Amino acid sequence: MHLLSAGCASAVLLVALLSQVTSLELITGQYGEMLKIPCNSGAIKAEDIAITKWKYDKGDGVPGYLLVKQKNQNVSISATDEYKVRVSMDENSSLLISAAKLSDQRTFTCMVVTGGDVFEYPVNVLIHKLPAKLEISEKAEELEIGRLTKLGKCVAKDANPPANITWFKNNKPLEADGKGISIKASVAIESGTGLSTTTSILEYSATKEDTGAKFECRADSLPLESSSMNFTITYSTENIMLEVSPQKELKEGDNLTLKCVADGNPAPTSFNFHLKGELVTVENTDTYTIANVSRNATGEYKCSLIDDTSMEATRNITVTYLDINLSPSGNIVKLAGDALNLSLQIDSSGKAEVSWTKNNTKLDKQPDFTKLGYSDSGRYEWTVTVGHITRTASFDLTVEGPAVIKSLFKNRSNDGQHKVLTCEAEGSPKPAVSWSINGTLLSESPFINGKITHKIKVVPSANLTVHCTVTNRLGVDSRAINVSSLIEEVRMDKQDQSEDSDQTRLVVGVIVGLLIATLVIGLAYWVYSKKSKQGSWKTGEKECGSSEEEKKLEEKVEENSQKAEV
């Protein structure tokens, strides 16, 4: 296709008035970057296009022509203004504008000629630019409670459209309320570039709760935020508190540290400490230490502000202490049967808990020493506790007594081959046991609670008297026991067995004789009774005589029966 003449061009323009006009398209470009404006968006095939021409609206309906391209020919630049060096066209007929500016925010139109038709595709262009960064300047050095103070100024430079700034405190947005929060925003346009600079000033009335709070500003709908900032909140002291260390229990000998804590900001650095009526002033510190406290340190303590003594704090402090005295103590020696009187004294700051042990074994109650026995010997420990203080006292008790024999007895061994002699004694120190006869020691029991048992075995060939003797440094005791020979005991055992056999035979003979006599008398009585019944027809006198004889016979039988039982 050839280039159109001027007359043809006029005809084309005339046809354009009657051509189809598509709806207005809107695109957004980024400031300073290549701007690409599409033509017909593929509605017309490239092979059907004869001519493509781009123009823009200069304002007041006056067009400005940029470039034209005829089919199978190169692009021809028509622009004579600044666009002359900025425009070009790609293979899809899209208009390319380098280094987009805010002045490019206008309507660009693509004219397409196909055969006898002319189509126009207008495109509206917007240019956006993010602010370079958000900066907070003119920061306040400190905030005073209850006073509206300029906190800072947040600036968003060189943006389009203008940035909308929001202030945040601890990630929560702030809104002006006309009281404690005031936000003033303004926008300035740079004449050279047309870019906007937004400024937002925050005035804020702080509270105590704002101590440590973080403030920052952000641009709405944009991934921009300032660095956070903290402010010192100043306020006068309203409360004061006295802290004590150690916190749980103060024992006699500990160090006591007093600390005066005020809630003002900045906090006071000098205080008055009232130590049980004594006034001590400290500067550039809030603590005071009393070393190695005694029980006399118990009492009321105070701290106050130097410039306002009416603002004070009070604490009652108790020093825990414990003293004990046990008398007598150490090594104690007593005689069995005597009494041991203990003196137990406790001086403490509170109720004491008392326990006893004997030879490291805990006792259920305090031991009773009104009448001492050998089992009372041992090591006793008295433990007293008040709070975290524990004191102990102890003594070693030894109960002594003269050696005494409690029992002396004999037994024959199970096999009958020897005699066992047993001597049981008590006393303390440990009694020594001796015998008046040579024997073989069978066993000696452990010496426990003043008691000892000594056993020997002997084989006596004749009857004899044996003595057991026990001794210690406090006394001697002796006891005798008769011991028969094993031969004599065997003879006596046999004699006893013979006598027992003769007596048994005698008893059996008597019993058998009596039983026989009873049977004979019973038989005679039976025979006699039978005859009496046959002669019952005789006279009454004879019957009476027979009756008397019958009674005598019955009495005789009864007597013999009793003897047989015996």
Side-chain angles (χ1 to χ4, degrees), residues 348-369:
S348 65
S349 57
K351 183 178 179 181
E353 296 182 2
V354 178
S355 63
W356 284 88
T357 61
K358 177 186 177 184
N359 297 330
N360 297 322
T361 300
K362 187 174 182 180
L363 302 178
D364 295 333
K365 59 182 179 179
Q366 179 178 333
D368 182 12
F369 297 133

Side-chain angles (χ1 to χ4, degrees), residues 544-561:
C544 290
S546 299
S547 178
E548 290 177 358
E549 293 177 357
E550 184 176 352
K551 288 181 180 179
K552 292 179 179 180
L553 184 59
E554 291 177 352
E555 291 175 355
K556 188 68 174 177
V557 171
E558 180 68 22
E559 181 180 355
N560 290 335
S561 298

Side-chain angles (χ1 to χ4, degrees), residues 55-66 80-81 83 106-107:
K55 63 178 181 178
Y56 68 96
D57 185 4
K58 288 186 174 183
D60 297 330
V62 177
Y65 295 99
L66 298 172
T80 58
D81 52 15
Y83 282 115
R106 60 180 79 228
T107 301

Side-chain angles (χ1 to χ4, degrees), residues 142-147 206-208 211 232-240 261-268 271 305 307-308 311:
E142 60 184 31
L143 300 179
E144 183 178 348
I145 286 181
R147 179 181 177 184
T207 64
K208 284 186 180 180
T211 301
T232 300
I233 311 298
T234 61
Y235 47 89
S236 58
T237 299
E238 296 179 356
N239 298 287
I240 193 171
V261 180
D263 64 354
N265 194 28
F271 296 91
L305 298 180
D307 55 358
D308 186 1
M311 188 166 292

Side-chain angles (χ1 to χ4, degrees), residues 405 407-410 420-424 432-444 453-458 465-470 478-481 483:
I405 295 176
S407 66
L408 177 63
F409 56 91
K410 61 186 177 181
V420 176
L421 305 183
T422 302
C423 186
E424 295 180 345
V433 181
S434 62
W435 298 86
S436 62
I437 187 175
N438 291 328
T440 301
L441 177 63
L442 287 180
S443 65
E444 180 179 291
T453 300
H454 205 270
K455 292 183 179 182
I456 64 171
K457 70 175 182 178
V458 296
T465 299
V466 178
H467 290 82
C468 175
T469 303
V470 294
S478 182
R479 189 177 294 188
I481 186 171
V483 182

Side-chain angles (χ1 to χ4, degrees), residues 189-238:
I189 306 298
E190 185 180 347
S191 58
T193 61
L195 296 176
S196 303
T197 296
T198 302
T199 300
S200 179
I201 298 175
L202 172 63
E203 293 181 335
Y204 189 80
S205 179
T207 64
K208 284 186 180 180
E209 290 72 20
D210 291 322
T211 301
K214 295 182 178 180
F215 293 84
E216 61 186 357
C217 60
R218 300 176 188 173
D220 293 356
S221 303
L222 298 176
L224 291 175
E225 64 181 43
S226 69
S227 57
S228 60
M229 55 183 180
N230 299 83
F231 298 92
T232 300
I233 311 298
T234 61
Y235 47 89
S236 58
T237 299
E238 296 179 356

